[in-house]
Amino acid sequence: MFRRLSLFLGLIFLSSSLLYGQSETLSAEDCGITALVTCAKMIGQDQLGIVTSPLRTTPKDLLWIVPFGVAMGLGLDYDAHAMRTLGVDPSRENKFKKVSDYGGLYGPAASAAIGYFLGAKTGNSQLRDTGVLAGEAMVDATIVDQAMKYAIDRERPNTGDGTGRFWPHGLKTWPDGGSMPSEHTMNVWAFAHVVAAQYDGWRTRLAVYSLATTVSASRVMARDHFPSDVVVGSTFGYLIGGFVVRHRSPEKRYFSLSTVNTANGRGLQLSYNFAR
C-alpha cells in the first residue's frame, strides 16, 4: 500500500511539471532537416523544462490534478480485476495490438514526416511547423516514457502473477517490466494535442482525439497494459503535447523576439501575433 501511495504522489508531482517551463527563444521555424543540431537542442531544452518546472505549479492545477488522482486511484485498485474480467483471447489481442501499433506509433510518425516535407515543399509554414512540433512532442514523450518505465518498473499483465506488481524483486532482476506508462498512448496523445492545437477546428479535434482514445483502449484490449498505465500515458502525452505547442509554435505565441540585420548593424525585432 505504501509503494502505491508513493507512486501515486510521485506521478502527480511529475505530471504537474509538464504544465509549465522556462520560456525558450527557439521555435518550430528553427528546426528542420538541415538544422538537426537545433532540433536536438530544442529537445534538450524541453527535457530541462519538464524536469525543473514542478517548482512553478500553482493551486489552479488542482482542476486537473484531482481528476487525474481519482482516475489513478481507481485504476490501481481495479487493474488486476479488469484484466481478469477481460480474459485471454490471442486472436483479439493480436488484432488490437496491430490497431495500436499503426495508430499509436507508425501513423503519427508518418503523418509528422509527411506534414513537414509537404509543408516545406508547398510553402505552407503552418503544416511544416505542425510536422516539426508533432515530431518533437513524440520524441519528448518517448524520453519521458522510457525514464518512467525504468523508475516505476511495473510488470505487464502477461508477466509475473498478472497483478502488475511494482519492483517485484527489487534490484535483483531490474528491470522486470515496462507496463507503466503506455508508450503508444503517450505518443499518440502528444501527437493529437499538437495537431488539435495547430488546427483547432472541431473536425480535426474529433479525428485526432478519437484516434488517441482508440489507441488507448486498444492497449488494454491487447493485454499489453493495465487501465492505469493508459491513464498515465494519456495524461502525460496530452501535457507534453501542450508543453511543446506553448513553447515552440509560432502560430500560438503572442510575442516573438528575433535578431535582424539592419543598415546600422544587428538589431532585435519584436513581433505580435494578432491571430492567436
Side-chain angles (χ1 to χ4, degrees), residues 12-35:
I12 288 180
F13 179 75
L14 180 57
S15 58
S16 67
S17 72
L18 297 173
L19 290 176
Y20 300 97
Q22 298 174 341
S23 297
E24 307 292 353
T25 57
L26 295 174
S27 74
E29 296 172 324
D30 301 305
C31 175
I33 195 68
T34 60

Side-chain angles (χ1 to χ4, degrees), residues 7-17 64-65 68-69 236:
L7 172 66
F8 170 72
L9 295 176
L11 287 172
I12 288 180
F13 179 75
L14 180 57
S15 58
S16 67
S17 72
W64 67 267
I65 288 177
F68 174 65
F236 275 79

Side-chain angles (χ1 to χ4, degrees), residues 68-235:
F68 174 65
V70 170
M72 274 297 300
L74 292 174
L76 289 172
D77 281 340
Y78 291 99
D79 274 346
H81 175 73
M83 299 312 293
R84 285 195 298 268
T85 302
L86 181 62
V88 177
D89 185 338
S91 177
R92 179 202 66 210
E93 292 159 17
N94 288 333
K95 290 178 182 178
F96 279 105
K97 180 175 177 57
K98 290 181 180 178
V99 170
S100 62
D101 282 345
Y102 283 97
L105 296 179
Y106 310 142
S111 297
I114 292 172
Y116 168 79
F117 286 110
L118 185 59
K121 183 176 181 179
T122 61
N124 187 331
S125 61
Q126 184 177 10
L127 181 59
R128 177 198 177 281
D129 292 344
T130 301
V132 171
L133 294 171
E136 179 181 354
M138 289 187 286
V139 171
D140 283 332
T142 298
I143 294 173
V144 172
D145 171 80
Q146 292 303 310
M148 291 179 67
K149 284 185 187 299
Y150 280 102
I152 296 173
D153 192 32
R154 187 184 198 187
E155 291 182 324
R156 290 181 181 267
N158 54 1
T159 60
D161 60 6
T163 61
R165 293 188 298 167
F166 302 93
W167 289 82
H169 308 293
L171 290 174
K172 294 180 181 178
T173 58
W174 178 82
D176 297 280
S179 193
M180 180 180 284
S182 164
E183 180 179 2
H184 291 65
T185 304
M186 190 181 295
N187 188 74
V188 73
W189 278 95
F191 169 83
H193 194 162
V194 168
V195 175
Q198 289 289 102
Y199 295 90
D200 56 2
W202 70 268
R203 291 181 179 84
T204 301
R205 293 188 177 192
L206 177 63
V208 294
Y209 287 135
S210 294
L211 171 65
T213 301
T214 299
V215 171
S216 301
S218 295
R219 296 308 286 165
V220 176
M221 297 299 292
R223 292 187 65 87
D224 279 318
H225 291 283
F226 293 98
S228 63
D229 302 334
V230 168
V231 170
V232 175
S234 59
T235 301

